[in-house]
């Protein structure tokens, strides 16, 4: 077994790999960029090496610098985690040349299966069904557009390299193709250094089911059963579970055999995943192979009892797989949800910032790379944590998931916890009748905000007033209780609904008047956090976000300005500017394209008018809510 392993990654997966290494007595080396200097994975490691500035291309994607760090620290192996260099052929090959073991498949397998187009060609030759499409070398826009017409719409443009939904677009009509192609290629180039794409027929209402495979250098290949990954947004998985509620035993066996055959076709070694798209009629098609450990691997570990990272280390060191196929028997049901710093109300835009407090649930596995006080950087994936539960069966697991999410809270930045709670309690999810379009179709229902109640407001107002009952002064608007008609507040919900509040005191008892009705002010058990006038309250597993101000506080006029002064929806880099001063624009016309957290966002005009000024050039960095241009409306 190895003596020292360098983890060529950051955040949650780096911490995950380190935990297994430490249990096995293997020393670990972390690498870090400028903003990760004090990150959790750096503090967990036995050694840490600085590899560059914040931009991934200059740090976590700089394999030359990482390989140098491995040599300097005497590491005998490198674990790439997932993302970044995990499917980089050059890095794998150079590690081998340097006598350092790459914990993953060899460069030949990465080339064959890591490339979506090469993998599809190989599967076609092997008789594995693949979705209709084009995955040729000719990448001329005219050729791709012609192939798109041949395949028919709707279709999917996908980056040949990488994954995670980057460089991917659904195109529903011919008129959308050119813009979608340019965006997909640009995003793929930025995320993976390769702008090659393939085209696939887009199947409406499909399910996404993958099989975990594992091979060793002695010719043994097994699968560790399936993971249902149909709950997605922007082509990125949000919730995964195993076993799939959709498969029967016959189909499970058939797909498992196909997955093993696919891995054997390339003499696959180490952990990999065969991903299938499955129709409502139970037909299935090979989509791609991820030649690395997957984000959702914990649910397989929970049901099989296998530490997949330990198997990776063992196989990379030349060992045989510890179990044969007949010895792998899953038990129970496991579910994982991904907690992200993102805004589901704004098309899941990343929402980086500081985590003021992170409350983790008891009785659940939480894989994370951050703590209270840490920052979610705009330069990397916005994942906060993965919450994993296991139950005796699916109903038990769903119950445990609801309980775990009720105990989870993240303060200080916008996150998708309300969405996760909405999914966990949705009746269609309980039935197991979801597909890859479920979140998009049900988003409004999933994000239904609970209305403010006297109990919730009691918690916040008590927090403000009870510590100082003797003086009872609230300085923001000058109202006082001594001889006055009470302390006045104004609560404004996220949908704009306003509530007039007044608090009265009688000795050490407080009474809340809300919209003209009186309630005893008895604070419930709650977790509270605020920044200025904005409050977040977690009460009985439900999140409430609202503003609490003085009755006569001025209201913000910034929203009205946003139409003529379009704002950046996130911190990031300007990758394209489509207008200049003097141009006339129509509502919906693209103004700029921003890139942040490995994704693109197109800022479009909200009004018809003339561009008076463009404030940023291509390549410039912008902050969230920065004004990007001035439009004179017509």
């Amino acid at each position: 077994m190895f003596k020292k392993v360098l983890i060529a990654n950051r955040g949650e997966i780096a911490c995950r790999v380190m935990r297994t290494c430490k249990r096995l007595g293997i020393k670990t080396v972390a690498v870090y960029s400028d903003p990760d200097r004090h990150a959790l994975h750096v503090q967990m490691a036995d050694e840490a090496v600085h590899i560059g500035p914040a931009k991934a291309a200059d740090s976590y994607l700089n394999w030359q610098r990482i390989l140098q760090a491995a040599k300097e620290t005497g590491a005998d192996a490198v674990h790439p985690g997932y993302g970044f260099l995990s499917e980089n052929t050059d890095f794998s090959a150079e590690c081998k040349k340097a006598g350092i073991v790459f914990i993953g498949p060899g460069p030949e397998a990465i080339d064959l299966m890591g490339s979506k187009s090469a993998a599809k060609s190989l599967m076609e030759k092997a008789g594995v069904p693949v979705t209709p499409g084009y995955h040729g070398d000719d990448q001329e826009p005219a050729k791709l557009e012609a192939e798109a017409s041949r395949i028919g719409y709707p279709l999917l443009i996908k980056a040949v390299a990488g994954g995670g939904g980057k460089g991917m677009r659904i195109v529903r009509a011919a008129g959308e193709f050119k813009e979608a192609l340019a965006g997909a290629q640009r995003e793929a180039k930025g995320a993976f250094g390769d702008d090659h794409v393939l085209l696939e027929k887009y199947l409406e209402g499909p399910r996404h089911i993958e099989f975990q495979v594992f091979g060793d250098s002695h010719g043994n290949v097994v699968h560790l059963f399936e993971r249902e990954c149909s709950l997605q947004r922007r082509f990125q998985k949000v919730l995964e579970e195993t076993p799939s509620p959709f498969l029967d035993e016959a189909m499970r066996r058939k797909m498992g055999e196909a997955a093993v055959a696919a891995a054997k076709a390339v003499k696959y070694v180490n952990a990999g995943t065969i991903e299938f798209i499955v129709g409502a009629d139970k037909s299935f098609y090979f989509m791609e192979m991820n030649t690395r450990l997957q984000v959702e691997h914990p649910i397989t570990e929970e049901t099989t009892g296998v530490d997949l990272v330990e198997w990776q280390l063992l196989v990379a060191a030349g060992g045989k797989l510890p179990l044969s196929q007949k010895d792998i028997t899953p038990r129970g049901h496991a579910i994982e949800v991904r907690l992200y710093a993102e805004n589901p109300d704004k098309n899941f835009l990343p929402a980086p910032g500081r985590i003021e407090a992170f409350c983790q649930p008891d009785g659940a596995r939480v894989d994370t790379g951050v703590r209270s006080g840490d920052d979610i950087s705009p330069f990397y994936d916005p994942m906060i944590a993965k919450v994993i539960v296991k139950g005796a069966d699916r109903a038990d697991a769903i119950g445990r998931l609801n309980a775990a999410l009720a105990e989870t809270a993240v303060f200080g930045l916008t996150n998708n916890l309300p969405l996760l709670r909405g999914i966990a309690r949705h009746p269609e999810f309980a039935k197991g009748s979801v597909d890859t379009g479920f979140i998009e179709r049900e988003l409004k229902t999933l994000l239904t905000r609970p209305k403010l109640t006297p109990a919730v407001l009691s918690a916040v107002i008590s927090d403000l007033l009870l510590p100082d009952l003797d003086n009872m002064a609230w300085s923001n608007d000058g109202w006082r209780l001594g001889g006055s008609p009470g302390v006045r507040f104004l609560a404004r919900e996220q949908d704009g609904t306003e509530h007039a509040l007044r608090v009265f005191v009688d000795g050490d008892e407080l009474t809340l008047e809300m919209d003209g009705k009186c309630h005893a002010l008895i604070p419930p058990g709650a977790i509270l956090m605020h920044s200025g006038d904005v409050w977040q309250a977690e009460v009985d597993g439900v999140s409430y976000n609202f503003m609490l101000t003085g009755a006569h506080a001025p209201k913000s006029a910034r929203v009205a300005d946003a139409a003529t002064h379009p704002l950046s929806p996130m911190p990031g880099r300007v990758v394209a500017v489509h207008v200049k001063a003097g141009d006339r624009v129509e509502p919906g016309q693209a103004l700029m394209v921003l890139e942040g957290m490995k994704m693109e966002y197109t800022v479009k005009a909200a009004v018809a008018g003339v561009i008076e000024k463009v404030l940023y050039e291509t390549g410039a960095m912008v902050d969230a809510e920065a004004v990007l241009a001035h439009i004179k409306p017509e």
Side-chain angles (χ1 to χ4, degrees):
M1 186 55 78
F2 306 114
K3 294 181 179 179
K4 184 183 290 187
V5 172
L6 181 145
I7 293 92
N9 217 297
R10 65 179 299 279
E12 171 269 322
I13 186 57
C15 296
R16 162 70 190 92
V17 173
M18 287 178 193
R19 284 196 296 273
T20 292
C21 287
K22 288 180 179 295
R23 180 173 61 78
L24 298 175
I26 300 171
K27 292 190 177 297
T28 58
V29 180
V31 294
Y32 64 92
S33 64
D34 288 345
D36 281 343
R37 187 174 300 276
H38 303 293
L40 180 59
H41 77 279
V42 174
Q43 296 188 9
M44 283 181 63
D46 296 297
E47 300 175 62
V49 179
H50 177 251
I51 54 170
K55 192 176 179 181
D58 300 325
S59 52
Y60 295 107
L61 285 171
N62 184 350
W63 63 259
Q64 295 91 341
R65 178 67 186 100
I66 290 175
L67 187 57
Q68 179 186 347
K71 294 175 181 177
E72 290 172 354
T73 57
D76 44 2
V78 170
H79 195 301
Y82 49 70
F84 292 133
L85 296 171
S86 61
E87 296 176 287
N88 186 294
T89 305
D90 291 338
F91 184 50
S92 174
E94 291 300 321
C95 283
K96 187 176 182 179
K97 285 182 185 178
I100 296 172
V101 176
F102 178 85
I103 301 174
E108 299 82 12
I110 294 176
D111 262 345
L112 282 171
M113 298 299 269
S115 166
K116 295 179 180 67
S117 56
K120 284 180 179 294
S121 297
L122 182 64
M123 291 301 101
E124 283 179 330
K125 292 176 183 177
V128 177
V130 299
T131 49
Y134 172 76
H135 41 85
D137 293 330
D138 189 341
Q139 294 284 300
E140 287 298 319
K143 171 65 173 177
L144 293 172
E145 192 167 12
E147 289 293 334
S149 297
R150 177 185 63 81
I151 296 164
Y153 296 93
L155 62 78
L156 200 59
I157 303 174
K158 296 172 70 173
V160 167
K166 308 300 186 296
M168 192 179 292
R169 300 287 191 279
I170 294 177
V171 187
R172 298 192 178 277
E176 303 171 4
F177 184 80
K178 288 182 180 178
E179 183 180 345
L181 175 64
Q185 289 177 324
R186 195 166 49 237
E187 196 171 88
K189 183 71 173 178
F192 314 118
D194 184 350
D195 63 1
H196 279 59
V197 299
L198 59 83
L199 309 178
E200 280 183 356
K201 181 67 178 174
Y202 181 71
L203 301 179
E204 299 284 2
R207 299 180 81 116
H208 184 159
I209 299 175
E210 64 189 26
F211 272 72
Q212 176 72 60
V213 294
F214 227 110
D216 63 26
S217 56
H218 304 276
N220 302 304
V221 179
V222 298
H223 72 78
L224 290 94
F225 295 90
E226 82 277 8
R227 296 184 289 251
E228 170 94 41
C229 307
S230 297
L231 283 165
Q232 303 177 6
R233 93 288 185 268
R234 297 177 64 97
F235 306 108
Q236 184 98 353
K237 299 162 187 172
V238 174
L239 180 150
E240 304 94 359
E241 61 180 310
T242 186
S244 165
F246 186 67
L247 299 189
D248 55 36
E249 285 305 316
M251 190 175 180
R252 180 172 290 112
R253 182 172 58 255
K254 187 177 181 180
M255 292 180 71
E257 289 170 352
V260 169
K264 285 183 175 180
V266 287
K267 298 180 174 61
Y268 194 79
V269 175
N270 219 276
T273 306
I274 306 295
E275 305 208 3
F276 297 102
I277 190 164
V278 183
D281 60 354
K282 295 192 183 296
S283 61
F284 64 91
Y285 303 94
F286 172 86
M287 284 200 304
E288 61 185 347
M289 182 178 192
N290 289 311
T291 54
R292 54 173 167 79
L293 195 66
Q294 290 279 82
V295 177
E296 57 273 19
H297 76 273
I299 57 175
T300 297
E301 295 183 324
E302 293 299 311
T303 54
T304 62
V306 170
D307 183 329
L308 292 175
V309 174
E310 182 176 355
W311 275 29
Q312 284 192 291
L313 296 166
L314 176 66
V315 166
K320 293 183 178 180
L321 291 175
L323 298 175
S324 64
Q325 190 66 64
K326 65 180 177 60
D327 297 322
I328 303 170
T329 306
R331 292 181 175 84
H333 197 100
I335 305 174
E336 171 186 291
V337 292
R338 305 187 189 188
L339 182 58
Y340 286 106
E342 63 184 14
N343 191 338
D345 287 310
K346 294 186 177 180
N347 200 26
F348 298 96
L349 282 175
R354 174 151 298 180
I355 301 172
E356 299 295 345
F358 179 21
C359 305
Q360 301 184 24
D362 294 327
R365 171 177 169 178
V366 179
D367 285 11
T368 186
V370 297
R371 305 144 296 183
S372 297
D374 285 349
D375 291 325
I376 297 295
S377 167
F379 295 98
Y380 314 117
D381 189 86
M383 180 183 285
I384 299 170
K386 302 181 304 194
V387 178
I388 305 106
V389 296
K390 181 188 177 185
D393 54 29
R394 189 168 187 269
D396 184 33
I398 291 175
R400 292 173 184 268
L401 177 63
N402 276 287
L405 294 177
E407 295 178 4
T408 303
V410 181
F411 297 100
L413 45 70
T414 303
N415 60 82
N416 70 336
L417 185 55
L419 173 73
L420 301 179
R421 289 170 173 162
I423 293 170
R425 62 175 177 255
H426 197 286
E428 292 303 308
F429 173 64
K431 294 177 186 175
S433 54
V434 297
D435 57 42
T436 57
F438 172 79
I439 290 179
E440 183 179 355
R441 289 194 308 271
E442 297 292 323
L443 187 59
K444 186 175 181 180
T445 300
L446 295 172
L447 293 178
T448 299
R449 294 291 195 270
K451 302 298 289 183
L452 281 176
T453 66
V456 174
L457 291 167
S458 291
V460 174
I461 294 172
S462 297
D463 188 76
L464 283 170
L465 301 184
L466 287 177
D468 198 20
L469 266 180
D470 291 338
N471 298 322
M472 289 311 301
W474 193 58
S475 59
N476 286 10
D477 68 357
W479 288 88
R480 294 178 178 272
L481 283 180
S484 81
V487 179
R488 296 178 183 271
F489 297 94
L490 181 70
R492 185 179 302 115
E493 303 194 46
Q494 288 183 302
D495 64 2
T497 303
E498 294 183 346
H499 303 279
L501 310 175
R502 192 160 47 161
V503 181
F504 303 93
V505 65
D506 183 7
D508 58 357
E509 292 184 3
L510 298 176
T511 300
L512 170 67
E513 180 186 272
M514 178 177 178
D515 299 329
K517 295 182 180 180
C518 290
H519 307 270
L521 205 157
I522 304 173
I527 309 172
L528 306 171
M529 183 69 65
H530 72 99
S531 175
D533 294 335
V534 180
W535 283 79
Q536 180 181 346
E538 295 280 341
V539 182
D540 295 330
V542 179
S543 292
Y544 299 86
N545 295 78
F546 56 96
M547 292 184 68
L548 190 67
T549 62
H552 304 293
K555 299 179 181 179
S556 172
R558 189 169 194 181
V559 174
D561 261 352
T564 54
H565 297 79
L567 307 175
S568 170
M570 61 184 183
R573 183 172 64 91
V574 178
V575 296
V577 179
H578 295 305
V579 294
K580 62 183 183 300
D583 287 353
R584 189 183 183 283
V585 295
E586 297 290 340
Q589 183 175 336
L591 304 176
M592 282 187 187
V593 180
L594 305 178
E595 177 188 60
M597 286 185 159
K598 302 192 290 185
M599 64 168 285
E600 283 192 357
Y601 183 85
T602 301
V603 178
K604 298 180 179 181
V607 295
V610 176
I611 300 292
E612 292 185 311
K613 188 174 184 180
V614 178
L615 301 180
Y616 292 93
E617 298 177 346
T618 301
M621 298 298 296
V622 298
D623 293 327
E625 298 191 351
V627 175
L628 302 175
H630 297 168
I631 301 175
K632 183 179 180 181
E634 292 184 346

